[in-house]
């Protein structure tokens, strides 16, 4: 790109920025105009300057720097080098990024750490694009950057550690990434990309023990592995047919333990293993019929209900770990808790405990009192028609709702109204657990905080109990009829029934675990022959 072309591009860039500024001034659709401008305009820079180029001349590089600094408020002399390297953010532009580094050094400027760390991410992209390998020279270039940065700093921040690890996994010294992971733990857990990179590397060099160790650490931190992790593992275990059945069992048990739902890409890879080794494993893609019946093998999925031992462990722990806590008493009092305990001793046990306000506000909290009361009325009527003994928990101000509607609620359910600043969830969950192992509750809340307070072991038990017993409101029709989501009584995670594994999968990867208990649409029915 010659000087005249650069000048024309600069004018076009200025005009484009001006136009975007005018649009965002008048349009409420643009919540973060500066961010949109940065992303879009830098993409335009990439297309205009770097398309089909493996290097630029010194003059072109300098003109690009000047242009960026002039047109972007967030770009200055201190960060422009890292930004330019960051624009070369794919595997095809490693040569171009290295060309810029050479330009800096030829100009007597040593690239700063931020610039070199950005370069490591591009090495990583090239490494994966090349099937997990780089030339020896490129590996040495990575290690030179790594050694230089480690020599200058005793302790590195998490992002620097992450970038170094992305470089190291492309070299034979990748295990030094474990030390960097420990360094990251000084401030926070290692990031999702770091876990993925290190686990994939461990499996690719057949260090299966380390791969599993890091996988368990990853899930303990509630980070979801990308499908490439499982693909690397499947590729590894397929090399030894003697241990293949055992390793597949280990994988599926892991999915069950951590409630991991694999992607369709991973499911297809498992199916490919089965296709190549039909005597060892067979796979059918399937759906679930009513009540969790597999359409392929005809068996019903395992009931989700807790053992008596697990239920009583949860029941005994809940009062101490969730209900009797300082932040609960900040919004309630020991006296009110005593009044509540005496009330449920006197009127319980219940078949279902309803969070009254949660139900009433399900269709919007700005509804008039009559509409709120009608919704609660409908839910109580729903359980009354099933001959259920119900407890409704609410707040004192609900006494001001329309008398006749609330009187029906009080005539057909036990009703406990707490003071107007109390927390509802702990009271509702305690009353449900206190009533016994068959009691359900009605709320749309996911109970994340309460599950977290119980600790990792009890949290798993709580989530299974929650899945088995939580009702919630789907909607209310114009005629006033309510549609209720009933609990899912069978397991919705990977598990084994009558020597058949049933493994759910989803179309695309999701980094966050959903809190809902929706039944997965897609399943695999798998039989492993040992």
């Amino acid at each position: 790109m010659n000087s005249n072309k650069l000048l024309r591009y600069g004018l076009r860039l200025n005009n484009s920025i001006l136009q975007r500024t005018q649009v965002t001034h008048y349009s409420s659709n643009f919540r973060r105009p500066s961010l949109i401008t940065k992303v879009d305009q830098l993409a335009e820079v990439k297309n205009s300057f770097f398309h089909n180029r493996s290097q630029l001349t010194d003059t072109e590089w300098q003109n690009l720097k000047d242009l960026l600094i002039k047109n972007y408020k967030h770009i200055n002399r201190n960060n422009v080098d890292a930004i330019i390297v960051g624009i070369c953010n794919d595997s095809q532009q490693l040569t171009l990024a290295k060309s810029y580094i050479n330009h800096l050094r030829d100009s007597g400027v040593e690239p700063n750490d931020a610039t070199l760390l950005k370069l490591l991410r591009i090495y990583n992209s090239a490494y994966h694009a090349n099937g997990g390998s780089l030339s020896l020279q490129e590996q040495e270039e990575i290690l030179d950057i790594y050694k230089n940065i480690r020599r200058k700093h005793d302790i590195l921040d998490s992002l620097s550690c992450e970038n170094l690890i992305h470089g190291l996994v492309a070299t034979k010294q990748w295990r030094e990434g474990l030390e960097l992971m420990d360094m990251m733990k000084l401030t926070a857990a290692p990031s999702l990309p770091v876990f993925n990179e290190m686990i994939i590397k461990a499996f690719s060099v057949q260090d299966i023990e380390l791969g599993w160790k890091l996988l368990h650490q990853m899930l303990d931190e509630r980070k979801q592995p990308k499908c490439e992790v499982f693909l690397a593992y499947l590729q590894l275990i397929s090399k030894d047919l003697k241990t293949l059945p055992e390793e597949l069992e280990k994988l599926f048990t892991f999915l069950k333990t951590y409630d991991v739902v694999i992607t369709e890409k991973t499911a297809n890879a498992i199916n490919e293993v089965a296709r190549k080794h039909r005597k060892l494993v067979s796979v059918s893609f399937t759906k679930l019929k009513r009540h969790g019946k597999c359409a392929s093998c005809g068996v019903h999925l395992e009931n989700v209900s807790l053992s008596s031992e697990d239920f009583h462990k949860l029941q005994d722990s809940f009062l101490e770990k969730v209900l009797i806590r300082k932040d609960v008493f900040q919004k309630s009092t020991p006296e009110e808790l005593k009044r509540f305990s005496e009330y449920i001793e006197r009127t319980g046990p219940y078949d279902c405990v309803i969070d009254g306000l949660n139900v009433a506000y399900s269709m919007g909290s700005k509804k008039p009192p009559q509409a709120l009361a009608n919704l609660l009325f409908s839910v109580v009527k729903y359980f009354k028609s099933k001959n259920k003994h119900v407890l409704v928990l609410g707040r004192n101000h609900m006494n001001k709702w329309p008398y006749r509607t609330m009187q029906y609620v009080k005539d057909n359910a036990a009703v406990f109204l707490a003071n107007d600043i109390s927390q509802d969830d702990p009271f509702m969950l305690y009353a449900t657990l206190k009533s016994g192992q068959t009691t359900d509750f009605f709320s749309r809340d996911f109970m994340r905080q309460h599950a977290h307070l119980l600790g990792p072991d009890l949290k798993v038990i709580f989530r299974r109990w929650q899945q088995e017993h939580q009702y919630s409101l789907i909607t209310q029709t114009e005629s006033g009829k309510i549609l209720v989501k009933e609990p899912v009584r069978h397991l919705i995670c990977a598990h084994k029934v009558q020597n058949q594994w049933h493994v759910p999968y989803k179309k695309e990867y999701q980094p966050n675990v959903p809190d809902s208990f929706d039944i997965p649409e897609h399943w695999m029915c798998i039989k492993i022959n040992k």
Side-chain angles (χ1 to χ4, degrees):
M1 185 178 284
N2 59 37
S3 298
N4 289 333
K5 194 172 181 182
L6 274 168
L7 178 60
R8 290 197 300 273
Y9 177 76
L11 291 172
R12 189 169 81 247
L13 188 62
N14 279 326
N15 290 334
S16 179
I17 291 174
L18 178 61
Q19 290 167 2
R20 286 174 185 271
T21 303
Q22 291 170 343
V23 169
T24 55
H25 178 74
Y26 292 108
S27 173
S28 61
N29 293 330
F30 289 92
R31 297 289 181 89
R32 298 175 66 186
S34 60
L35 180 61
I36 294 171
T37 299
K38 290 176 191 177
V39 173
D40 291 355
Q41 293 294 332
L42 288 178
E44 188 175 346
V45 169
K46 180 175 181 176
N47 291 333
S48 297
F49 282 81
F50 298 162
H51 184 62
N52 290 333
R53 301 290 299 273
S54 60
Q55 61 181 10
L56 272 64
T57 66
D58 289 340
T59 301
E60 287 173 328
W61 281 125
Q62 189 58 50
N63 287 338
L64 174 59
K65 286 179 67 171
D66 295 340
L67 189 68
L68 290 175
I69 292 170
K70 179 181 178 181
N71 287 287
Y72 292 89
K73 292 181 180 180
H74 72 288
I75 299 179
N76 53 53
R77 295 287 173 189
N78 295 323
N79 64 14
V80 66
D81 296 333
I83 287 173
I84 288 176
V85 172
I87 298 173
C88 307
N89 58 359
D90 62 55
S91 59
Q92 303 300 316
Q93 294 182 322
L94 175 59
T95 302
L96 187 62
K98 289 163 67 174
S99 166
Y100 182 67
I101 298 298
N102 291 334
H103 158 73
L104 290 177
R105 287 173 173 153
D106 290 344
S107 304
V109 177
E110 181 59 31
N112 60 27
D113 289 354
T115 304
L116 295 173
L117 290 168
K118 288 275 189 180
L119 181 62
L120 291 181
R121 300 300 283 249
I122 305 173
Y123 275 110
N124 181 270
S125 295
Y127 165 75
H128 287 297
N130 200 37
S133 67
L134 289 178
S135 68
L136 291 176
Q137 180 182 339
E138 288 168 330
Q139 293 183 48
E140 285 301 318
E141 291 165 358
I142 291 171
L143 292 174
D144 284 344
I145 294 172
Y146 169 70
K147 291 171 184 175
N148 180 47
I149 291 177
R150 288 302 306 269
R151 190 163 46 243
K152 291 191 292 183
H153 307 283
D154 293 329
I155 300 293
L156 292 162
D157 63 272
S158 291
L159 183 57
S160 296
C161 290
E162 179 178 313
N163 288 328
L164 287 174
I165 289 170
H166 273 75
L168 281 173
V169 294
T171 75
K172 294 181 179 180
Q173 292 181 221
W174 65 275
R175 290 181 188 275
E176 295 192 31
L178 297 170
E179 181 185 346
L180 293 173
M181 291 181 73
D182 288 337
M183 193 179 296
M184 295 178 79
K185 293 174 186 176
L186 296 175
T187 54
S191 63
L192 176 64
V194 162
F195 273 118
N196 282 320
E197 288 289 337
M198 290 295 288
I199 296 168
I200 292 169
K201 185 65 178 185
F203 285 145
S204 69
V205 299
Q206 302 184 34
D207 192 340
I208 197 165
E209 183 178 348
L210 176 61
W212 273 115
K213 178 182 177 182
L214 293 176
L215 253 179
H216 285 287
Q217 288 180 17
M218 184 181 196
L219 270 295
D220 288 341
E221 296 292 343
R222 287 182 57 79
K223 299 182 189 298
Q224 291 293 297
K226 296 198 76 172
C227 58
E228 287 77 12
V229 167
F230 298 118
L231 296 179
Y233 177 70
L234 290 168
Q235 186 176 8
L236 170 60
I237 65 175
S238 297
K239 296 176 181 178
D240 188 347
L241 299 186
K242 291 181 179 179
T243 61
L244 178 60
E246 176 187 342
E247 294 296 337
L248 285 173
E249 288 277 353
K250 185 189 295 186
L251 171 62
F252 299 147
T253 301
F254 171 83
L255 299 180
K256 176 183 179 181
T257 301
Y258 289 101
D259 200 10
V260 173
V261 179
I262 58 175
T263 63
E264 184 176 38
K265 190 174 182 180
T266 304
N268 287 333
I270 294 170
N271 187 50
E272 184 63 17
V273 171
R275 189 187 66 80
K276 291 179 178 178
H277 309 292
R278 299 181 188 276
K279 293 182 179 180
L280 296 177
V281 56
S282 60
V283 169
S284 298
F285 289 98
T286 186
K287 302 277 187 179
L288 295 185
K289 296 182 178 180
R290 283 178 57 84
H291 309 302
K293 183 179 180 179
C294 175
S296 177
C297 69
V299 305
H300 287 270
L301 299 195
E302 182 181 325
N303 195 298
V304 74
S305 61
L306 299 179
S307 66
S308 179
E309 179 184 356
D310 281 344
F311 175 76
H312 286 104
K313 188 188 301 182
L314 178 63
Q315 188 183 50
D316 294 341
S317 300
F318 189 85
L319 180 63
E320 175 187 350
K321 294 190 175 183
V322 177
L323 190 58
I324 303 179
R325 294 173 58 249
K326 290 181 180 178
D327 63 333
V328 173
F329 285 141
Q330 285 171 2
K331 298 183 179 181
S332 184
T333 64
E335 291 76 22
E336 183 170 66
L337 181 58
K338 182 174 183 292
R339 182 169 69 90
F340 171 67
S341 299
E342 291 174 348
Y343 184 81
I344 62 174
E345 287 289 346
R346 188 170 67 253
T347 61
Y350 315 102
D351 296 310
C352 186
V353 180
I354 299 172
D355 184 339
L357 275 183
N358 186 283
V359 165
Y361 291 156
S362 291
M363 306 306 294
S365 60
K366 295 183 179 180
K367 300 282 186 180
Q370 183 64 64
L372 300 176
N374 285 346
L375 199 49
L376 181 57
F377 168 98
S378 297
V379 172
V380 170
K381 185 178 180 181
Y382 171 86
F383 286 103
K384 178 66 177 176
S385 68
K386 298 176 180 290
N387 295 316
K388 301 294 185 181
H389 179 41
V390 172
L391 169 66
V392 173
L393 294 174
R395 311 259 181 104
N396 285 328
H397 71 265
M398 292 167 67
N399 277 320
K400 298 177 182 178
W401 289 2
Y403 173 79
R404 291 185 62 184
T405 308
M406 288 304 295
Q407 192 58 46
Y408 174 88
V409 172
K410 293 176 180 178
D411 288 344
N412 291 280
V415 178
F416 182 88
L417 301 180
N419 74 63
D420 287 339
I421 60 170
S422 291
Q423 290 181 313
D424 297 327
D425 291 348
F427 284 82
M428 179 193 66
L429 294 174
Y430 176 69
T432 308
L433 288 164
K434 181 72 174 176
S435 291
Q437 197 163 350
T438 61
T439 302
D440 300 314
F441 67 95
F442 199 111
S443 173
R444 60 179 175 169
D445 286 350
F446 291 127
M447 312 296 167
R448 299 183 190 94
Q449 179 187 2
H450 309 303
H452 175 74
L453 290 171
L454 287 167
D457 294 335
L458 280 173
K459 180 178 179 179
V460 174
I461 296 174
F462 176 83
R463 288 280 294 169
R464 286 189 65 172
W465 173 81
Q466 182 184 358
Q467 179 194 322
E468 183 187 7
H469 293 287
Q470 184 170 6
Y471 284 80
S472 60
L473 184 68
I474 297 174
T475 190
Q476 184 179 36
T477 65
E478 291 184 2
S479 65
K481 182 180 179 181
I482 60 171
L483 299 179
V484 174
K485 181 180 179 180
E486 297 190 356
V488 179
R489 306 288 186 179
H490 61 78
L491 289 178
I492 54 176
C493 63
H495 66 285
K496 194 174 186 180
V497 182
Q498 296 180 14
N499 206 35
Q500 298 274 149
W501 276 99
H502 290 87
V503 178
Y505 66 93
K506 55 195 174 188
K507 289 292 184 180
E508 300 291 339
Y509 170 78
Q510 296 170 302
N512 299 313
V513 182
D515 289 301
S516 64
F517 296 106
D518 296 328
I519 301 173
E521 181 180 356
H522 308 285
W523 290 79
M524 304 176 77
C525 179
I526 304 170
K527 185 173 183 179
I528 300 173
N529 301 313
K530 297 182 180 179

